[in-house]
Amino acid sequence: MARKATSVFLIVFLLLGVIGLTLVLLPSGEKVNNSVQKRSQVLPGEGEHLDISIKPAEVVLAQEEQSERRRKRPRRPDFRENNVEYEGDRVYDDEEFVKQILFKVNNKDKISLLAADPKPIDWSKPYILLLHDAQEEAKVWDDLGTMKALVDAGYRTRALNLPGRGETTNFQEVSNRGKWLVSVMDDYGLYPFVLVVPSTGSAYGTPFIQQLFEFNNQHALVGVVAVGPTTMPPLAKLDPRPTLLVYGEYDSLYHRDSQRLNKQELDHVTLEVIQGAGHKCWNEDPQHFNSVLVSWLDSVMH
C-alpha cells in the first residue's frame, strides 16, 4: 500500500514538473499581450461585460498628440450668437428695379444691401456679389447700370454696403474683415456666388477669399472679378476658379501688376484693359466695363 502511494506521488510530481517546464519555455508574447491586456468585469445589476483596456505608454502618448493637433486645428468661426432679423425692404430707384433690404443684427446694428433679380429666376446661375471701394457705396452699381446689365443677362445681383457705408452700421468690433463677410454670406445664404471687387474693396474681398479656403468653403466661390485691386487676390490658390482682372490703361496698378502676371502661367486668369481709362475704370467707362463683365460671366457659365 505504501509502495502504491509512493508511485502516485511520483507521477503527480513528474506532471507538475512538465507543466512548469512548459510555462518556462513558452515565448513571452504568448504569455502576455504587450499591446493591450484585457480584463472582464460584470457591472452590478447588469448582465453585460465591460472591457477595461490597459494601454502602453506609447499608445497613450500618440493619442494625446493627436488630440493636441485637433485642438490647434483652425475651426470655422461660429456666428450663431448673431441674432439677425429682417427689418424690411423698399424700392430704391425710380424705375422700381432695385430694392434695398435691411437686416438688424443683435437688435442694434444694421446691414444694408441692394438686390435685383431677373424674372423668372434662373436658379442654375450664381449670385453676383458686388462690393464697392472705400469712397463709394453700394448704390454706385445701380447708378452705373451694372446691376441692370447683370439682371438683364439673367443673374441674381446683390450689392453690399460695407461697414460704415450706406445704412450699414460701422461695426466697430470688426477686426477680421474676411470673417465679417463670411458671417454676412452665411446669414443671408448668398451661395454659390461670383465676387466682384473694385480697388480698395479688396481690403475686404481678399481676406474673405482667404477665409473661404481656410475653412474649406471655397466650393461656394464660382469666380472672382478684381477691378484695379489694391490688394491682389490669391491667384494661385484660386486655380482653377476663373478669375477676371480689369484695369484702366493708365492705372498705375496695371503697370505694377502686369509685370508679375507676365511671369506667371495662370490659365484660369483673364486680363482685360479698358483703353483710355484710369484707376476707376468701372466709373469712367461703365458701359465698356459692364459689357466686359457680362461677357466674361457668360463665357464662364457656358
Side-chain angles (χ1 to χ4, degrees), residues 162-177:
L162 294 172
R165 309 302 292 178
E167 294 192 40
T168 298
T169 309
N170 197 27
F171 283 92
Q172 295 293 335
E173 69 274 14
V174 173
S175 57
N176 186 320
R177 294 171 175 177

mmCIF file of all heavy atoms in Angstrom, residues 162-177:
data_model
loop_
_atom_site.group_PDB
_atom_site.id
_atom_site.type_symbol
_atom_site.label_atom_id
_atom_site.label_comp_id
_atom_site.label_asym_id
_atom_site.label_seq_id
_atom_site.Cartn_x
_atom_site.Cartn_y
_atom_site.Cartn_z
ATOM 1 N N LEU A 162 -20.660 98.015 -47.303
ATOM 2 C CA LEU A 162 -19.668 97.592 -46.313
ATOM 3 C C LEU A 162 -19.806 98.451 -45.051
ATOM 4 O O LEU A 162 -20.466 99.496 -45.075
ATOM 5 C CB LEU A 162 -18.270 97.711 -46.909
ATOM 6 C CG LEU A 162 -18.002 96.749 -48.086
ATOM 7 C CD1 LEU A 162 -16.655 97.070 -48.740
ATOM 8 C CD2 LEU A 162 -18.053 95.302 -47.648
ATOM 9 N N PRO A 163 -19.221 98.037 -43.926
ATOM 10 C CA PRO A 163 -19.375 98.762 -42.663
ATOM 11 C C PRO A 163 -19.076 100.254 -42.784
ATOM 12 O O PRO A 163 -18.051 100.674 -43.323
ATOM 13 C CB PRO A 163 -18.363 98.067 -41.743
ATOM 14 C CG PRO A 163 -18.336 96.665 -42.245
ATOM 15 C CD PRO A 163 -18.453 96.788 -43.738
ATOM 16 N N GLY A 164 -20.037 101.052 -42.275
ATOM 17 C CA GLY A 164 -19.887 102.489 -42.285
ATOM 18 C C GLY A 164 -20.347 103.162 -43.563
ATOM 19 O O GLY A 164 -20.266 104.388 -43.675
ATOM 20 N N ARG A 165 -20.871 102.404 -44.524
ATOM 21 C CA ARG A 165 -21.328 102.971 -45.790
ATOM 22 C C ARG A 165 -22.806 102.673 -45.968
ATOM 23 O O ARG A 165 -23.313 101.642 -45.522
ATOM 24 C CB ARG A 165 -20.534 102.417 -46.971
ATOM 25 C CG ARG A 165 -19.034 102.488 -46.809
ATOM 26 C CD ARG A 165 -18.538 103.897 -46.586
ATOM 27 N NE ARG A 165 -18.703 104.746 -47.769
ATOM 28 C CZ ARG A 165 -18.381 106.023 -47.816
ATOM 29 N NH1 ARG A 165 -17.898 106.621 -46.740
ATOM 30 N NH2 ARG A 165 -18.552 106.728 -48.930
ATOM 31 N N GLY A 166 -23.518 103.571 -46.657
ATOM 32 C CA GLY A 166 -24.952 103.385 -46.812
ATOM 33 C C GLY A 166 -25.618 103.352 -45.451
ATOM 34 O O GLY A 166 -25.311 104.155 -44.569
ATOM 35 N N GLU A 167 -26.510 102.417 -45.261
ATOM 36 C CA GLU A 167 -27.179 102.268 -43.963
ATOM 37 C C GLU A 167 -26.595 101.133 -43.131
ATOM 38 O O GLU A 167 -27.188 100.709 -42.136
ATOM 39 C CB GLU A 167 -28.686 102.052 -44.183
ATOM 40 C CG GLU A 167 -29.381 103.262 -44.788
ATOM 41 C CD GLU A 167 -30.888 103.155 -44.732
ATOM 42 O OE1 GLU A 167 -31.418 102.671 -43.708
ATOM 43 O OE2 GLU A 167 -31.557 103.543 -45.710
ATOM 44 N N THR A 168 -25.435 100.633 -43.543
ATOM 45 C CA THR A 168 -24.757 99.601 -42.753
ATOM 46 C C THR A 168 -24.002 100.252 -41.599
ATOM 47 O O THR A 168 -23.276 101.233 -41.787
ATOM 48 C CB THR A 168 -23.771 98.793 -43.618
ATOM 49 O OG1 THR A 168 -24.494 98.127 -44.647
ATOM 50 C CG2 THR A 168 -23.028 97.758 -42.782
ATOM 51 N N THR A 169 -24.191 99.693 -40.404
ATOM 52 C CA THR A 169 -23.524 100.217 -39.209
ATOM 53 C C THR A 169 -22.008 100.123 -39.365
ATOM 54 O O THR A 169 -21.496 99.274 -40.099
ATOM 55 C CB THR A 169 -23.964 99.394 -37.981
ATOM 56 O OG1 THR A 169 -25.390 99.337 -37.955
ATOM 57 C CG2 THR A 169 -23.490 100.027 -36.686
ATOM 58 N N ASN A 170 -21.309 100.965 -38.639
ATOM 59 C CA ASN A 170 -19.847 100.990 -38.736
ATOM 60 C C ASN A 170 -19.204 99.701 -38.223
ATOM 61 O O ASN A 170 -18.099 99.350 -38.623
ATOM 62 C CB ASN A 170 -19.284 102.187 -37.954
ATOM 63 C CG ASN A 170 -17.857 102.492 -38.350
ATOM 64 O OD1 ASN A 170 -17.432 102.206 -39.466
ATOM 65 N ND2 ASN A 170 -17.105 103.059 -37.429
ATOM 66 N N PHE A 171 -19.874 98.978 -37.305
ATOM 67 C CA PHE A 171 -19.352 97.729 -36.755
ATOM 68 C C PHE A 171 -17.936 97.927 -36.216
ATOM 69 O O PHE A 171 -16.950 97.439 -36.766
ATOM 70 C CB PHE A 171 -19.350 96.613 -37.811
ATOM 71 C CG PHE A 171 -20.695 96.017 -38.068
ATOM 72 C CD1 PHE A 171 -21.504 96.527 -39.068
ATOM 73 C CD2 PHE A 171 -21.170 94.960 -37.307
ATOM 74 C CE1 PHE A 171 -22.759 95.983 -39.321
ATOM 75 C CE2 PHE A 171 -22.419 94.412 -37.534
ATOM 76 C CZ PHE A 171 -23.215 94.930 -38.547
ATOM 77 N N GLN A 172 -17.830 98.649 -35.111
ATOM 78 C CA GLN A 172 -16.526 98.950 -34.529
ATOM 79 C C GLN A 172 -15.752 97.689 -34.151
ATOM 80 O O GLN A 172 -14.532 97.698 -34.100
ATOM 81 C CB GLN A 172 -16.721 99.831 -33.283
ATOM 82 C CG GLN A 172 -17.294 101.208 -33.579
ATOM 83 C CD GLN A 172 -16.347 102.093 -34.357
ATOM 84 O OE1 GLN A 172 -15.142 101.898 -34.301
ATOM 85 N NE2 GLN A 172 -16.879 103.059 -35.081
ATOM 86 N N GLU A 173 -16.493 96.595 -33.887
ATOM 87 C CA GLU A 173 -15.808 95.385 -33.430
ATOM 88 C C GLU A 173 -15.238 94.553 -34.569
ATOM 89 O O GLU A 173 -14.662 93.489 -34.348
ATOM 90 C CB GLU A 173 -16.757 94.512 -32.599
ATOM 91 C CG GLU A 173 -17.900 93.856 -33.395
ATOM 92 C CD GLU A 173 -19.108 94.762 -33.522
ATOM 93 O OE1 GLU A 173 -18.976 95.954 -33.247
ATOM 94 O OE2 GLU A 173 -20.173 94.249 -33.897
ATOM 95 N N VAL A 174 -15.379 95.021 -35.821
ATOM 96 C CA VAL A 174 -14.871 94.244 -36.950
ATOM 97 C C VAL A 174 -13.346 94.327 -36.967
ATOM 98 O O VAL A 174 -12.761 95.353 -37.305
ATOM 99 C CB VAL A 174 -15.436 94.762 -38.291
ATOM 100 C CG1 VAL A 174 -14.766 94.045 -39.451
ATOM 101 C CG2 VAL A 174 -16.939 94.532 -38.343
ATOM 102 N N SER A 175 -12.691 93.259 -36.562
ATOM 103 C CA SER A 175 -11.230 93.201 -36.602
ATOM 104 C C SER A 175 -10.748 92.328 -37.749
ATOM 105 O O SER A 175 -9.646 92.515 -38.252
ATOM 106 C CB SER A 175 -10.682 92.647 -35.275
ATOM 107 O OG SER A 175 -11.230 91.368 -35.004
ATOM 108 N N ASN A 176 -11.568 91.375 -38.155
ATOM 109 C CA ASN A 176 -11.231 90.496 -39.276
ATOM 110 C C ASN A 176 -12.285 90.710 -40.357
ATOM 111 O O ASN A 176 -13.409 90.231 -40.255
ATOM 112 C CB ASN A 176 -11.201 89.037 -38.806
ATOM 113 C CG ASN A 176 -10.709 88.101 -39.886
ATOM 114 O OD1 ASN A 176 -11.039 88.240 -41.065
ATOM 115 N ND2 ASN A 176 -9.917 87.121 -39.495
ATOM 116 N N ARG A 177 -11.922 91.440 -41.399
ATOM 117 C CA ARG A 177 -12.899 91.802 -42.422
ATOM 118 C C ARG A 177 -13.370 90.596 -43.206
ATOM 119 O O ARG A 177 -14.538 90.510 -43.588
ATOM 120 C CB ARG A 177 -12.294 92.852 -43.347
ATOM 121 C CG ARG A 177 -12.020 94.173 -42.642
ATOM 122 C CD ARG A 177 -11.224 95.125 -43.506
ATOM 123 N NE ARG A 177 -11.074 96.431 -42.855
ATOM 124 C CZ ARG A 177 -10.382 97.433 -43.367
ATOM 125 N NH1 ARG A 177 -9.762 97.291 -44.528
ATOM 126 N NH2 ARG A 177 -10.299 98.578 -42.725
#
